[in-house]
Amino acid sequence: MPFYVVQVAVPVPLRRCFDYLPSAGEPEDTWKPGQRVRVNFGQQLLTAVVVGTAHTTDVPTARLKPLLERLDDAPLLDASQLALGRWLARYYHHSLGEVLELMIPALLRRGGALQEALEQSWLRCPTAHDETPSLRGKQQQALWQLFQQRPVWVHAELTAQGFTLAQLRRLAQLGLIETQQRLPIPATSLRRRDDLPLNDEQQQALTQLNQPRQQFRASLLEGITGSGKTEVYLQHLKQTLQQGRQVLVLVPEIGLTPQTVQRFRERVDVPVALIHSGLNDRERLQAWCQCRDGSARILIGTRSAVFTPMPELGLIILDEEHDSSFKQQDGVRYSARDFALVRAKQANIPIVLGSATPSLESLHNALSGRYQHLKLTQRAGQAKPPGMTLHSILHQPLTFGLAQPVIAKMQQHLDADRQVLVFVNRRGYAPLMACQECGWLAECPRCDARLTLHQSPAHLHCHHCDFQQAVPRFCPNCHSDKIQALGQGTERLQDELSMLFPQVPITRVDRDTARNKHAFDALLEDIHSPGKRLLIGTQMLAKGHHFPAVTMVVVLDADAGLFSADFRGMEHTAQLILQVAGRAGRAEHPGEVWIQTLYADHPQLNLLINDGYHALALALLQERQQRQLPPYSHMAMLRAESPQRHLAEQLLQLARQFLQSLSAQHRAHSTSITPLVLVGPFPAIMERRAGRFRQQLQLLSDERTGLHAVLDPLVDFLHQQKGFHQVRWHLDVDPQDTL
Ligand code: ADP
Ligand code: ZN
Ligand code: ZN
């Protein structure tokens, strides 16, 4: 047998594949791309993925290491997944091993077998008749009834209902059921609901989406909150299901509520699988396997669900496409939205992006004709869009941060037994704690940031690095006892509103009160109970939820986002304001939104309130074009951080010099390459975080290819730099956050 090596992708930053020796006598054709193997790498034992075999290698034979174990006989990842992995690796400039790791569930990443997804189940025997006189006792009969309703049950489901192993064995002895290790079937709902009759706009959107032939096409469904986008998705995806294809539905982290899932399950009679951060590793693997073997026909999931294998995928729907949770903020900083588009293109299937407030990137693509542009401008059913009022608080007396006319309005709504939502995007009691005598401020020792005061339990907390300390009784600087909480967080607002409206129940929703799913569900239940109520919430409450009784929304601190140093600041502020506003008047009662501001004549804020998001977005696009910012140019950000200020900066200076000489070379060889614009290195807005100094270098280019051409050499260059082992760096392609 001729000599050969197996080439594998190892989950390490080095962007190349590694050669390993198969065991003696193993035929070359037992190795297939996509199989997992165990390898020794440095001092570590890692799970890697086979990409091929070769008859030559650069590694001296004596230094070749043996492959330890093959974990799959059939490839775990198929050719199309490997191709997508290659795209990810190329576009985000990471190693193939690192991106393939994203595509594999944690249990399998650690070397586990697919069988770990199986569960002991009981199946009705095909030969069993419904009538079985030999059953003794009510319990056995009840058990048999279940198998008449549904032929397969997971063991744990039955024991949860109080049935015992002995009862199950008895039915098995009678030849009625048998046991098997199998993949549980994804849940379906027993309740069915009919499609709603669509209004004209919805019908038109649906007709445009339902194309006769399955092929790649991206559509942007731009519809105001409550316009019935979800209803359009639900009716559209039925066509795909009828064609025998699977559907992938991606939602933001915060949007995957029981309400959403229920709504999907009640409309389709196919199994629906879920993937979200609340699953444990085994549940995640099960959902992954259910999609891979086709038993799940719909997958609803958050960001990472975009990698789930679905061999019969026929449609991708991505709701709230502007949401920043679609962009991963560590490791491989991929955008699930952008990747979903690539995936749809590869599979040659349609993709629908939906939003009330589309990102300027997607809007630009729709306006330029790259995406089909569908609009829903009216609320569905009887609901009317809320009226929006900008209320100037300049030189106005405020009670607990609220202006008198706003309080009077709130009172009216509460008197009518309605709910009022007060939005303040800051949790804790107060964002600042200061000494009145000497001006001392409670600061985080590890970050360039102030500590937030919390009251229950009382402590000072850094929201950036999690540092915590007790609340001082005396100023550490001048020993005065006149230290004071400044500003207003959700906790404080709750205290204060309970003084202003003592008879009104208050529900506060933020990361402290909604610590887990259970606590969150309990809060939602309160909100859905009848009667007047004040809701206080951060953006947790702003997204994805349907609160029929809310008729007034108050936005307390919209100003914070108006003057952000981030070029996307205004876009994100507008999106958030409209998301919150969208909670008002979603049922039969009209709603109103009051936005308190010091800048009531802010032109863009007025454009948003008077002419709507679309008008503002067009203005912002014009501004972006003038400033040559995305989507009119392409951006990457190189970030570095180190315990000493100068090291991170030094590395980025070297990177800058390298890039300058590289683009000079490029220009010398070709006139077509547009110049690369480099900004920085400059310190991040919060330069020190968790004890590390942060620097960044921004790269901008008119052409995507021009930008990407320098990124690979840049990453290689950075890997080669010596003396910077204390510096952590990463490259962020299409960064969402530029602060
Ligand atoms: P969006 O996803 O755009 O926010 P939804 O699809 O959630 O909107 O619809 C908002 C509300 O309007 C829901 O309660 C939904 O049941 C209702 N709705 C949607 N379409 C219709 C329709 N054609 N007729 C009546 N009610 C509708
Ligand atoms: Zn002091
Ligand atoms: Zn901190």
Side-chain angles (χ1 to χ4, degrees), residues 444 447 462 465:
C444 177
C447 305
C462 175
C465 75

Side-chain angles (χ1 to χ4, degrees), residues 529-606:
S529 60
K532 66 180 79 167
R533 182 175 295 273
L534 280 160
L535 314 182
I536 299 173
T538 57
Q539 57 175 322
M540 263 192 120
L541 201 58
K543 298 186 183 177
H545 297 283
H546 186 47
F547 303 132
V550 171
T551 51
M552 179 179 185
V553 167
V554 181
V555 178
L556 273 191
D557 63 346
D559 291 348
L562 295 181
F563 305 100
S564 165
D566 189 340
F567 74 91
R568 287 198 183 84
M570 191 61 213
E571 177 189 346
H572 289 162
T573 302
Q575 287 164 344
L576 190 56
I577 289 178
L578 284 199
Q579 291 285 341
V580 190
R583 302 311 107 199
R586 283 173 68 97
E588 60 270 32
H589 309 294
E592 57 184 315
V593 180
W594 287 65
I595 299 165
Q596 292 196 160
T597 176
L598 284 169
Y599 308 97
D601 50 4
H602 189 284
Q604 294 181 329
L605 198 51
N606 279 279

